[in-house]
Amino acid sequence: MSLKDKIDLNKLPTHIAIIMDGNGRWAKQKGKIRVFGHQHGVKSVRDAAESCAELGVKYLTLYAFSTENWNRPKLEINALMELLVSTINKETKTLNDNDIKLEAIGDLKSLPSSCYRELMNAIEKTKNNKRMTLVLALSYSSRMELVEAMKSIAKDVAAGKINADEIDENTIIQNIYTKDIPDPELLIRTSGEHRISNFLLWQSAYTELYFTDTLWPDFGKEKLYEAIIDFQSRERRFGMTSEQMKR
Ligand code: IPE
Ligand code: IPE
Ligand code: MG
C-alpha cells in the first residue's frame, strides 16, 4: 500500500498551510549560495500544489515571504522577488490547466511593482477556477494583519457604523485578509524550526501543528502525504474530553 493510499479522503483537511523553511540551509549543505535553495524550493511548491489539488484539499496557503524577510540582504530579496515574478508568469497556465485559483494575502502593495502586476494578473486570470485555491502569503505579518483589522474596526466604531459592544469574533474575521478562507486545520513547518514566525496567529487558534526536519527543497509529495496521515491520526478535541468526541 502506497502512502497516498493510506490517506482517508473523507477526513482530508479542507485547508493546509505551510511555512516553507530551510532553503538557505539546503543550499549551504550543497556548498551553494542561498538563492540556489530558493530556486529549488519552487519544485516543492509545485509538488505541494499538485498533490493537494489531486487529493481534493480545497485551500493551500504557502508562506513565501514575511514582512521580517525585508530585512534580509538586498541581493537575496531581489533574487526572491525575481523568482516570484518568473514563477508566477510560468505557472499561470498550469494553474488554469489544473483549475486552481490563485490568491494572495499580505501587504501586497509593498512588493516591487513588477511583482505586484504579475501577481494581480495571475489572480485575475485564475479567478474563476474552482478545484482548489492556492493562497500565497507575501510580505505577510500576522500581527500587522491584526493591527490593520483593529484600525479598520476602530474607524467603523468612530463613524457610528457599529457599536463597540457589538464587536465579536466575526467582526475580526471580516476585517482580516482571510475573511473568505476557512481556518487551516493543518499547519506544516519544514526545516526543524518549532515556531510560527508571525504566520496566521488568529487563524491557527485550533490548527494542528506538524513539524518536520525536512528542508523545504526536499519536501516532496510523499512528505506531504506523511503529514496528512499524521494529522488524520490525531484527535481534535476543541476543549472537550475524549469521551465526548467519541459520542
Ligand atoms: C525559507 O527558507 C524561504 C524564505 C523565508 C523566503 P529560508 O531562506 O528561511 O532558509 P533558511 O531557514 O535560512 O535555511
Ligand atoms: C518564515 O521563515 C517565513 C517564511 C517561510 C516565508 P523565516 O526563515 O523567515 O523565519 P525565522 O526567521 O527562522 O523565524
Ligand atoms: Mg528560514
Side-chain angles (χ1 to χ4, degrees):
M1 197 182 194
S2 74
L3 265 184
K4 195 180 181 185
D5 293 332
K6 288 192 183 147
I7 296 175
D8 180 350
L9 295 178
N10 296 314
K11 282 205 288 183
L12 271 183
T14 303
H15 182 180
I16 298 178
I18 308 181
I19 302 175
M20 312 184 285
D21 198 16
N23 294 350
R25 278 163 283 170
W26 185 88
K28 194 168 180 195
Q29 283 177 1
K30 301 200 153 29
K32 306 274 188 185
I33 57 162
R34 298 179 55 82
V35 174
F36 183 74
H38 297 315
Q39 287 162 347
H40 280 263
V42 176
K43 162 93 172 72
S44 302
V45 169
R46 218 177 284 129
D47 275 358
E50 212 174 87
S51 38
C52 282
E54 280 167 8
L55 287 169
V57 172
K58 297 309 282 182
Y59 296 87
L60 172 65
T61 299
L62 299 177
Y63 201 5
F65 196 85
S66 71
T67 50
E68 290 78 15
N69 290 147
W70 290 116
N71 298 319
R72 291 196 177 188
K74 192 108 186 70
L75 200 79
E76 182 172 347
I77 297 176
N78 290 346
L80 273 168
M81 292 300 147
E82 266 170 43
L83 191 61
L84 189 67
V85 174
S86 64
T87 307
I88 293 175
N89 209 319
K90 260 190 253 154
E91 303 292 329
T92 306
K93 187 179 176 305
T94 319
L95 291 175
N96 275 331
D97 291 345
N98 289 291
D99 200 13
I100 299 173
K101 175 176 171 173
L102 184 70
E103 284 187 9
I105 56 173
D107 182 18
L108 306 179
K109 288 270 162 59
S110 69
L111 295 170
S113 55
S114 59
C115 232
Y116 182 78
R117 255 196 331 269
E118 277 308 322
L119 185 65
M120 289 305 137
N121 188 22
I123 290 173
E124 175 63 27
K125 280 190 181 151
T126 62
K127 70 175 182 206
N128 295 321
N129 293 342
K130 297 274 182 307
R131 188 170 171 210
M132 185 180 85
T133 302
L134 172 63
V135 185
L136 293 183
L138 287 168
S139 192
Y140 177 84
S141 148
S142 192
R143 285 189 168 181
M144 195 202 271
E145 173 180 41
L146 292 171
V147 167
E148 289 304 320
M150 287 179 210
K151 267 194 217 163
S152 125
I153 297 167
K155 283 180 190 162
D156 285 349
V157 172
K161 286 189 201 160
I162 54 165
N163 203 314
D165 293 327
E166 286 166 10
I167 296 170
D168 58 10
E169 287 192 10
N170 196 42
T171 319
I172 314 280
I173 293 168
Q174 289 311 313
N175 282 279
I176 53 181
Y177 299 130
T178 52
K179 69 173 183 320
D180 299 317
I181 302 170
D183 291 341
E185 287 101 328
L186 171 62
L187 169 60
I188 299 168
R189 181 171 189 146
T190 59
S191 90
E193 307 297 352
H194 296 180
R195 57 176 170 268
I196 302 293
S197 301
N198 208 357
F199 190 44
L200 304 178
L201 300 179
W202 170 277
Q203 296 87 339
S204 61
Y206 262 104
T207 300
E208 294 297 328
L209 308 179
Y210 179 88
F211 298 103
T212 168
D213 287 341
T214 305
L215 303 173
W216 179 249
D218 289 330
F219 193 85
K221 289 189 174 190
E222 299 290 310
K223 300 282 178 185
L224 182 80
Y225 299 153
E226 278 172 22
I228 296 175
I229 292 164
D230 186 274
F231 166 83
Q232 293 187 329
S233 75
R234 300 184 189 187
E235 180 181 57
R236 305 185 71 206
R237 290 189 287 278
F238 302 97
M240 287 181 276
T241 67
S242 189
E243 287 66 33
Q244 283 176 300
M245 299 315 293
K246 290 191 178 88
R247 229 175 267 154

